[in-house]
Amino acid sequence: MTLYARRKAVNAIGLALSVLATAFGLFALAWLLFTLLENGLRWIHPRIFTESTPPPGANGGLANALVGSAILTAAGVAFGAPAGLLAGTYLAELGRTSRLGAVVRFVNDILLSAPSIIIGVFIYALVVLRAGHFSGWAGAVALALIVLPVVVRTTENMMRLVPDGLREAVAALGAPTWKITVAVVYRSALPGILTGVLLAMARIAGETAPLLFTALNNQFWSTDMSRPYPNLPAVIFQFAMSPYEDWQHLAWAGALLITVAILVINVVVRVLLARKLVR
Amino acid sequence: MVSGAPPVSPGGRLAAGPARALRTAGDRVFSGVTRVFAALVLVAVFGMLAALLDGAWPALRAFGLKFLARKDWNPVTGEFGALAPLYGTVVTSAIALLLGVPVSFGIALVITELAPRWLKRPIGVAIELLAAIPSIIYGMWGLFVFAPFFAAHVQPALTARLGAIPGLGGLFQGPPMGIGMLTAGLILSIMIIPFMAAVMRDVFETVPAALRESAYALGATTWEVVWRVVLPYTRVGVMGGVMLGLGRALGETMAVTFVIGNAHDVNLSLFMPGNTISSTLANEFTEAVSPLYTSSLLALALVLFVLTLFVLVAARLMLLKLGAREGVRT
C-alpha cells in the first residue's frame, strides 16, 4: 500500500468512526425518548393530575407529587437565584479583576460540578439533623445550592456581554456604579440572565439525590414545608423500584411528564438565545 | 474580550452635599451586598467540607485510615470499611471514561470539522439535551430496558468471545443478569458524553483558523488535521474536559443506584453486582440507625467529595491554562 493510500484509508476509518460515535449519541437520545413515550404515554390520564399517590393496588395519581415538586422547585429558585444574581454581579462588575473574584469564580465552577448527593448529605447534616426531622425547607435549600452556581455563572457571562462603552456613557452622565448596574447593565442583560434561571430550574426539576435525605417524600397531600414533602423524583424512585405494577406505571407516567417539561424548557431557552444572537 | 476595571463611582468628586452622600452610600451598600453573596459561594463549599469532616469524625476515629482499605460493611456488628463502594466507584467511572472519551472525541470532530453548517447546531443541541435528561430517567431506562437487552444479547456474547482469555477473561465471566458494574459504567458513559463532547467542541473551536487551514493547504487529510494540529493545540483543554466528565461520573447517583445491584462486594467480574459510594448513600442513608453507621456513611461522602474535589480542581486548572493561552494568541 502506498503512503498516500494508507493516509486516505486512516482518514476514512477515523471519520467513519467519528460519524458512528455521533450516531451512537443521537441513537441513545432517541432510544431514551422512545422508551419514555412507549411506557409513559399509556398511563397518562386525568386522574394523574387530580388524585394523590395511592397505596399499592389502589387507584391514584401523582397530584400531590406534581404540586410538591413545583413548589420545591420554585422555592429552590427563589432562594438560589437572587443570591446567584448578586454574586454574579460582583464577579462581572466590581470584582472583575480582584483576588476574591478570581477565587469565587474558581470555587463556583467546582460547586457547579459537585455531586448533587453530597449537597443532599450536607444539608442533612446542616438542617435535618439540627431540626430533628426531614422537611420541605431542607429540600428547598438543597435545591437552592444547585441553582446558585448555575445562576452565578450565567449572570456573569451575560453581564460581561454588555459593552463597556455603555457603562462609561452612563458614568459620564454622573450615575453612581449601583445605578449603572441596576438601570443599564441588568436591563440589557436581562434576557440572558433569565435564561440562566430557567436552565437552573430545568436542572433541579428532575434532581432526586439531594431530596432523598432532605425533603424525603410524602405519600399524602401536604403543603406544610416544615414536614416531609411530596415530590415527583422521589415518588418515581420509590415506585419504579417497587414490585407493584401499578406503582411502576405511575412512575413511567411521572418520568414522561418530568422529562417533557425539562426538554421543553431547554429547547425554548435555546431558541430564545439563538434568536437573540441573530438579532 | 472586555478588559480593564469597571468605572468606579464616576464623577463623584465633583458632586457635593446630600447628592454625593447618597451616591457613595448607595455604592458602598451595593458593593458590600454583592461581595457578601459572592463570598457565600466560598462559604457553601468550605461549609460542605467542614460539615462532612465533622460528621465523619467518629467513624474516622474508630477505624482510622484503614477505613479506606477495609472490606467489611456490617451494620449489625458495627464494622465499616469503604473498600467495596470505593472500588465500585472507581471501576464504573473507568468504564465510563473508556467508552465515553473516544465517543465524545468523535462527536466533537463531527461537529467542528465534518458536519455542514446547517447540521452543526441540531447535532449540538441533541447532544446537549442528552445532558438535560434527569439521572433518574437514565436509571429507569437502564433497569427496565437496557439491562434486559444487555443480559439477553450482549453479555452471553461477551462471555463467549472474551471469557476464555486468561487474565482479562475474568472480567467477563458470571451470570448474565443485566444489572451490575458493567451496565452501570456503560450508562454512566452515555451520561457524561454530552459534557465531554461540549468541552471538546468548544476547545476545538479555539484553534486559530490559520493553523488549521495551513495544514489543509499542505495536503493534510481531515483526520491528520484533527490528530496532528487540533488535538496537540488543545491537549490541555481536552484533558480538562475529560476530568470534568470523570468528576460527573464519580458522583452520579440515581442512574447507578438503579442498575448496579447494590452488593457490598469486591468482584473481579464486571457482570457482578456492586456498589458505588453514591449508591450506598442513596440506599442506606435514611436507614442508618446507629450513630457509627451514620458517621461511616458521612465518611464515605467525605471520601467522595475529596475525590471529586481533586478531579474538578485539576479539570478547572487545565481549562484555565488553555484559556490563558487563548488570550495571547491574537
Side-chain angles (χ1 to χ4, degrees), chain A residues 217-279:
Chain A
N217 194 3
N218 196 329
Q219 209 71 74
F220 306 103
W221 186 270
S222 168
T223 47
D224 182 1
M225 288 280 277
S226 59
R227 301 271 113 207
Y229 211 66
N231 63 89
L232 195 51
V235 169
I236 294 176
F237 181 44
Q238 186 195 350
F239 281 20
M241 293 291 246
S242 78
Y244 312 111
E245 276 202 356
D246 40 350
W247 270 16
Q248 289 180 2
H249 296 160
L250 279 174
W252 279 115
L256 178 64
L257 288 177
I258 218 165
T259 309
V260 166
I262 288 167
L263 291 186
V264 164
I265 295 178
N266 270 280
V267 170
V268 164
V269 162
R270 281 180 176 78
V271 169
L272 286 179
L273 273 184
R275 191 171 298 165
K276 189 168 174 279
L277 290 179
V278 169
R279 201 172 45 181

Side-chain angles (χ1 to χ4, degrees), chain A residues 1-268:
Chain A
M1 198 191 269
T2 63
L3 178 63
Y4 182 65
R6 191 165 71 220
R7 287 177 54 211
K8 271 184 81 174
V10 168
N11 185 48
I13 293 169
L15 297 188
L17 287 177
S18 300
V19 171
L20 209 63
T22 310
F24 172 79
L26 298 178
F27 173 71
L29 180 67
W31 194 2
L32 266 164
L33 294 181
F34 174 75
T35 303
L36 276 175
L37 288 173
E38 191 197 16
N39 291 296
L41 221 45
R42 280 186 279 177
W43 312 111
I44 301 250
H45 45 75
R47 215 168 42 226
I48 295 261
F49 303 98
T50 55
E51 285 177 30
S52 290
T53 42
N59 278 330
L62 297 166
N64 58 334
L66 285 168
V67 172
S69 258
I71 294 175
L72 272 183
T73 306
V77 170
F79 291 156
L85 177 74
L86 287 167
T89 303
Y90 177 79
L91 293 183
E93 301 293 311
L94 299 153
R96 214 185 270 185
T97 52
S98 75
R99 184 167 296 182
L100 175 67
V103 173
V104 169
R105 201 170 289 126
F106 190 84
V107 172
N108 187 67
D109 278 347
I110 306 265
L111 187 58
L112 195 63
S113 333
S116 58
I117 192 156
I118 299 288
I119 291 175
V121 171
F122 169 54
I123 298 299
Y124 173 86
L126 197 72
V127 180
V128 177
L129 221 49
R130 288 220 177 125
H133 57 83
F134 299 98
S135 70
W137 291 120
V141 173
L143 292 180
L145 261 185
I146 297 172
V147 170
L148 177 73
V150 180
V151 175
V152 171
R153 180 81 172 275
T154 49
T155 301
E156 187 197 358
N157 289 348
M158 292 304 164
M159 287 176 77
R160 281 203 174 197
L161 288 180
V162 178
D164 274 353
L166 207 58
R167 293 187 178 87
E168 283 155 11
V170 190
L173 293 174
T177 309
W178 67 268
K179 201 153 195 180
I180 299 173
T181 305
V182 174
V184 177
V185 183
Y186 276 164
R187 195 171 287 180
S188 51
L190 191 65
I193 295 173
L194 282 181
T195 53
V197 174
L198 274 177
L199 281 181
M201 198 172 96
R203 167 113 194 255
I204 60 171
E207 275 290 355
T208 317
L211 295 178
L212 290 178
F213 332 126
T214 52
L216 201 66
N217 194 3
N218 196 329
Q219 209 71 74
F220 306 103
W221 186 270
S222 168
T223 47
D224 182 1
M225 288 280 277
S226 59
R227 301 271 113 207
Y229 211 66
N231 63 89
L232 195 51
V235 169
I236 294 176
F237 181 44
Q238 186 195 350
F239 281 20
M241 293 291 246
S242 78
Y244 312 111
E245 276 202 356
D246 40 350
W247 270 16
Q248 289 180 2
H249 296 160
L250 279 174
W252 279 115
L256 178 64
L257 288 177
I258 218 165
T259 309
V260 166
I262 288 167
L263 291 186
V264 164
I265 295 178
N266 270 280
V267 170
V268 164

